[in-house]
Amino acid sequence: MTANGFQAGQSGVGDDIGIIYCAPHVEFRRRFPGLGPTIQYDDAGACTDLNIYAGMGVGGRLHEIRFDGVTLHELLAEEGIEYASEADAIAALPAAAGVVRLRSVLSELFSRHATARPIRGQQRVSLVGVGVVANLSAAIRGATSAPMSALILDRALGEAAYAHVRTAQ
């Protein structure tokens, strides 16, 4: 996501894992003018957020994906018939496989709509080794904590930097 102008994911862990990616709205709209056209803000300091929520454990699924209130279903419906079944397909997969498919779909959409490069560069710090990424399903099943599961899901979306991990009290 950072390659597309978003900040590294921030997570919250409770009954579910939630990851939020934030991009300055002005920059998001400049780079992707046709993506999610209903996402509009007059406030110069507004952000465009991608919110992803996944269930925990082996049977966990991605159950909510939104760009500032626009569901993945709505976003993909605007993209045409070739994306019509993608949101349901992503939701039906185990979280690890769903994240991989989501990453692919988002990469296609960002490439399809990109008109400019990010204004500012993002420094990346590797927190998850290549071996973890190579076998994502096993890594999530073997994670020793919910924050580690969130970190692995974040990494699967292409992140190598992590803003913070917050566990529910």
Side-chain angles (χ1 to χ4, degrees):
M1 296 297 295
T2 57
N4 292 297
F6 288 81
Q7 296 296 315
Q10 298 182 22
S11 75
V13 179
D15 293 335
D16 292 332
I17 299 168
I19 300 175
I20 299 173
Y21 300 92
C22 178
H25 181 69
V26 171
E27 183 178 328
F28 174 82
R29 196 45 61 214
R30 180 184 68 82
R31 292 199 65 220
F32 309 109
L35 183 60
T38 60
I39 302 170
Q40 295 294 336
Y41 298 104
D42 293 332
D43 181 5
C47 289
T48 298
D49 293 336
L50 169 61
N51 300 280
I52 302 170
Y53 297 93
M56 302 268 287
V58 176
R61 306 264 190 266
L62 299 181
H63 58 80
E64 186 177 342
I65 303 165
R66 296 179 175 272
F67 266 101
D68 274 352
V70 176
T71 67
L72 185 62
H73 280 97
E74 295 164 336
L75 185 71
L76 295 178
E78 295 172 356
E79 294 299 316
I81 192 73
E82 68 268 29
Y83 291 99
S85 63
E86 283 298 320
D88 289 331
I90 289 167
L93 294 169
V99 166
V100 172
R101 190 156 181 174
L102 176 62
R103 178 182 180 183
S104 175
V105 168
L106 290 177
S107 292
E108 289 175 25
L109 294 182
F110 289 140
S111 292
R112 184 179 200 178
H113 289 279
T115 61
R117 298 175 78 73
I119 291 174
R120 62 191 181 287
Q122 300 291 329
Q123 180 179 355
R124 294 179 175 213
V125 178
S126 180
L127 294 179
V128 180
V130 174
V132 173
V133 175
N135 192 343
L136 183 60
S137 294
I140 290 175
R141 282 193 306 272
T144 57
S145 67
M148 181 55 76
S149 293
L151 180 69
I152 293 167
L153 287 173
D154 183 50
R155 178 64 176 122
L157 281 167
E159 299 303 323
Y162 212 76
H164 73 276
V165 175
R166 184 181 71 243
T167 55
Q169 298 286 333

